[in-house]
Amino acid sequence: MYADGSADPRAAATARTVLDGPEIDRALTRIAHEILERSKGGGDVTLLGIPSRGVPLAERLAERIERVEGRAVPRGSLDITMYRDDLRLAPARALGRTDIPPEGIDGRLVVLVDDVLFSGRTVRAALDALNDIGRPRTVQLAVLVDRGHRELPVRADYVGKNLPTSLRETVTVQLSEPDGHDAVLLGPAKPRPGEEG
């Protein structure tokens, strides 16, 4: 995935599909039902997607919960750019959008939604960003893919697929909203700047 959030076409050419569109749909439906079960109907749930692909995933989860419960689910996005611990190590990044529902997050059960859980550093940054916005009653984490290799003590509450990976592999999530189709791809790691590609 490039810094702008678009998928690297070279990765798709050499990667294998580990989840296709229908499998992603089933995983999101299962996660939505798990959120409803654990929250006893989801009355105080707010979904916040972490850009870029966590935002459409949060939207899809909200739609599924709404179909079951028959009421609107507050959702939004939480930009973590300025909370990342690698800002000084990486090239400049464009700021994303933080969009908090009118209900706010104070006293609510906030479910952070992301596409891939890897080191845990994105989640740490999201918790820091959330702390500057309000004080939720509880914070939970929903991810489409947990690929392991944690560097921080972070665990997802809701997981679409646990995918054991090597550090020499890349997980790429493609969603119809930004990419035109749904798939999770597992492929070789991208060369770092300065390495032969």
Side-chain angles (χ1 to χ4, degrees):
M1 187 161 321
Y2 293 119
D4 68 358
S6 62
D8 182 347
R10 293 173 301 168
T14 60
R16 69 179 172 91
T17 301
V18 292
L19 286 178
D20 60 17
E23 290 169 319
I24 290 172
D25 285 343
R26 284 191 295 276
L28 291 174
T29 298
R30 180 176 42 78
I31 290 171
H33 284 279
E34 289 176 3
I35 291 170
L36 283 172
E37 287 175 21
R38 291 191 199 172
S39 66
K40 297 179 176 50
D44 69 341
V45 169
T46 297
L47 300 171
L48 293 180
I50 300 171
S52 62
R53 282 162 180 74
V55 176
L57 290 172
E59 183 67 32
R60 292 184 192 188
L61 287 171
E63 290 167 358
R64 283 165 170 79
I65 292 171
E66 288 169 356
R67 280 196 299 263
V68 172
E69 291 299 308
R71 68 174 176 273
V73 177
R75 73 272 227 159
S77 61
L78 181 67
D79 179 49
I80 62 160
T81 304
M82 297 309 294
Y83 297 89
R84 295 181 59 95
D85 63 4
D86 63 353
L87 273 179
R88 61 186 173 76
L89 305 174
R93 301 171 196 266
L95 291 177
R97 179 181 167 105
T98 292
D99 184 21
I100 302 300
E103 298 88 341
I105 62 168
D106 290 337
R108 297 187 62 84
L109 188 164
V110 172
V111 179
L112 297 172
V113 182
D114 203 5
D115 56 351
V116 178
L117 177 57
F118 183 30
S119 67
R121 293 181 182 277
T122 295
V123 176
R124 188 219 37 90
L127 291 170
D128 288 347
L130 202 58
N131 189 51
D132 281 353
I133 294 167
R135 190 172 192 275
R137 177 177 56 80
T138 304
V139 179
Q140 296 179 345
L141 176 63
V143 297
L144 182 58
V145 176
D146 182 347
R147 66 167 292 181
H149 305 288
R150 220 72 79 239
E151 296 173 4
L152 298 172
V154 171
R155 181 185 58 83
D157 299 279
Y158 312 101
V159 178
K161 180 168 182 71
N162 285 295
L163 182 63
T165 63
S166 152
L167 288 172
R168 294 184 304 269
E169 293 174 308
T170 300
V171 175
T172 303
V173 173
Q174 298 175 334
L175 299 174
S176 59
E177 295 87 343
D179 304 307
H181 67 279
D182 290 350
V184 175
L185 307 172
L186 181 63
K190 295 175 216 133
R192 292 195 171 108
E195 292 180 358
E196 295 281 328

